[in-house]
Amino acid sequence: MVTDTVNVVLSSPLLDEEDMGQIISISPRVRVQDIWDLSRADLKGDSVARDELDIVLADAEVVYGFRLPRNLIARAPNLKWVQVATAGVDRFLDDDDFRRSPVILTNVSGIHATPIGEFVMEQMLMFAKNASFCFELKQKKQWQHFEPTVLRGKTVGIVGLGNIGKEVARLSKAFGMSVIATRRSTPRTTRARSVDLMLPRQELPRLLAESDYVVITLPHTRETHNLFGEKELRAMKQSAYLINIGRGGIVDEDVLARALAENWIAGAGLDVFATEPLPPDSKLWEFPNLLFSPHVSGDMENYIGQVTEVFCKNLRRYLEGKKLLNVVNKQLGY
């Protein structure tokens, strides 16, 4: 049961006055306070900021933002709900107290389907058309003929058919590709919309063996950590490409470096890495058959505005006592 006044604290550097106004206008019951600057100062050891933040968090019922204050559960005894501005929640669940608490966690799953779906197609097209080689030729002012390939008739294997995976499947079918996918909740081999072959997760080796492009769209959980190691990468075709837009921790990067160096697979497209930013001494910088991007596949115009719309929709439901959207199972990690 919610109280008459709902104290909402915001923890994001990107919210502007319009976003703030949108939240405040939901209801006169909502009282909003921005804690971003206090939270940053607290992390730097500012004792004055820590004390001020403690006062705010003591009354907080709802937290919305990109980052959570440290020791949130102990400092916010009245906290009921946390809305994060991301789809992935692994870094929030590193806090054992938060994971075990009754506080509801919601994410913005679904809003990334379009930008990431397009990003995956870009990666596949860059490999098929050898775009990196074209960039190299231009840099060297060389004119050299080569033979591109096509996506039509190729097979894409999607590991994790959630919102993003479904969009990748839809776009891939538009290119005339065959689609194989795995999903944790699929008990047996079947079909699905835009998916020619839906496999249970234990059939991952079959997906890897049959796919020309393997796309990882999984969340990073204890179950998926280093899911892609030597066994999985060697199970792929030597002519196949790995694309990871899930989380870096899903792929054993040391093994991937060996796979690229020894040509177990044809190449990889990575938007996510186990350590971000990618350290300067990482071997992954060195491979010409690796496409790199700095964790931007889910970004788009007015991202924070779209995220705030999700939060506002959920805030209305919260005030009305309705079930929230995008509730995360904190034990499963998604």
Side-chain angles (χ1 to χ4, degrees):
M1 196 73 179
V2 295
T3 57
D4 289 339
T5 299
V6 176
N7 294 304
V8 177
V9 297
L10 311 177
S11 182
S12 170
L14 304 176
L15 291 167
D16 58 23
E17 290 185 7
E18 183 177 346
D19 298 318
M20 295 274 286
Q22 186 178 355
I23 296 168
I24 293 169
S25 67
I26 294 294
S27 169
R29 294 170 55 197
V30 174
R31 186 174 69 181
V32 174
Q33 190 162 350
D34 187 351
I35 63 167
W36 177 254
D37 290 336
L38 285 177
S39 187
R40 287 186 64 200
D42 175 40
L43 286 172
K44 294 177 180 179
D46 186 325
S47 60
V48 174
R50 180 196 62 209
D51 293 342
E52 291 183 24
L53 185 58
D54 282 341
I55 293 172
V56 176
L57 292 177
D59 293 327
E61 188 172 334
V62 177
V63 173
Y64 162 52
F66 282 91
R67 291 186 181 177
L68 304 182
R70 59 180 178 176
N71 302 322
L72 179 61
I73 297 303
R75 302 166 81 179
N78 296 306
L79 185 64
K80 303 292 192 304
W81 164 40
V82 170
Q83 169 78 60
V84 294
T86 58
V89 296
D90 47 312
R91 61 190 173 98
F92 304 106
L93 297 180
D94 284 342
D95 183 335
D96 289 338
D97 289 338
F98 181 57
R99 190 175 66 252
R100 290 193 293 259
S101 75
V103 174
I104 298 170
L105 175 65
T106 57
N107 64 5
V108 292
S109 177
I111 73 167
H112 301 89
T114 293
I116 295 183
E118 292 179 359
F119 191 91
V120 170
M121 299 311 299
E122 175 218 21
Q123 298 269 293
M124 290 197 288
L125 285 167
M126 286 185 71
F127 283 126
K129 306 308 177 185
N130 210 349
S132 59
F133 182 59
C134 290
F135 297 150
E136 182 183 336
L137 291 178
K138 182 173 180 291
Q139 291 279 348
K140 296 179 179 179
K141 298 183 179 179
Q142 293 180 351
W143 186 280
Q144 180 180 336
H145 185 266
F146 67 93
E147 187 174 276
T149 61
V150 297
L151 295 183
R152 179 176 291 275
K154 299 295 193 302
T155 297
V156 57
I158 303 169
V159 185
L161 196 75
N163 291 313
I164 294 169
K166 290 175 182 177
E167 180 64 2
V168 172
R170 186 186 72 83
L171 293 173
S172 297
K173 293 304 290 184
F175 275 80
M177 302 181 76
S178 297
V179 179
I180 306 174
T182 60
R183 186 167 54 192
R184 190 178 190 276
S185 60
T186 297
R188 61 186 180 278
T189 301
T190 183
R191 293 171 61 94
R193 186 173 184 179
S194 299
V195 177
D196 301 295
L197 186 63
M198 174 67 70
L199 299 171
R201 58 180 175 171
Q202 60 267 28
E203 290 289 326
L204 177 61
R206 178 179 176 183
L207 179 148
L208 299 177
E210 296 183 14
S211 299
D212 299 295
Y213 298 89
V214 174
V215 181
I216 300 173
T217 64
L218 295 168
H220 184 215
T221 67
R222 294 174 180 179
E223 186 178 6
T224 64
H225 182 71
N226 278 355
L227 175 64
F228 274 70
E230 180 167 352
K231 177 182 176 182
E232 289 71 29
L233 291 172
R234 286 192 181 277
M236 292 174 59
K237 297 180 182 179
Q238 193 172 5
S239 59
Y241 299 89
L242 178 71
I243 298 172
N244 185 12
I245 52 80
R247 282 293 185 269
I250 298 171
V251 177
D252 186 324
E253 291 179 351
D254 289 336
V255 175
L256 176 60
R258 286 179 52 210
L260 294 173
E262 299 173 12
N263 299 313
W264 304 355
I265 60 175
L270 304 180
D271 181 58
V272 289
F273 301 86
T275 301
E276 297 180 355
L278 184 64
D281 61 351
S282 171
K283 295 179 181 178
L284 296 177
W285 292 108
E286 303 170 8
F287 298 104
N289 55 343
L290 187 147
L291 300 178
F292 161 89
S293 55
H295 204 151
V296 296
S297 63
D299 290 357
M300 56 189 149
E301 304 94 330
N302 192 31
Y303 179 84
I304 194 63
Q306 294 193 51
V307 170
T308 299
E309 285 184 15
V310 173
F311 172 60
C312 288
K313 184 182 295 186
N314 252 349
L315 184 56
R316 290 189 186 94
R317 298 177 71 89
Y318 181 80
L319 294 171
E320 295 168 2
K322 296 180 179 179
K323 183 178 179 180
L324 300 181
L325 306 173
N326 293 336
V327 174
V328 173
N329 183 320
K330 291 189 291 183
Q331 303 311 311
L332 294 178
Y334 58 91

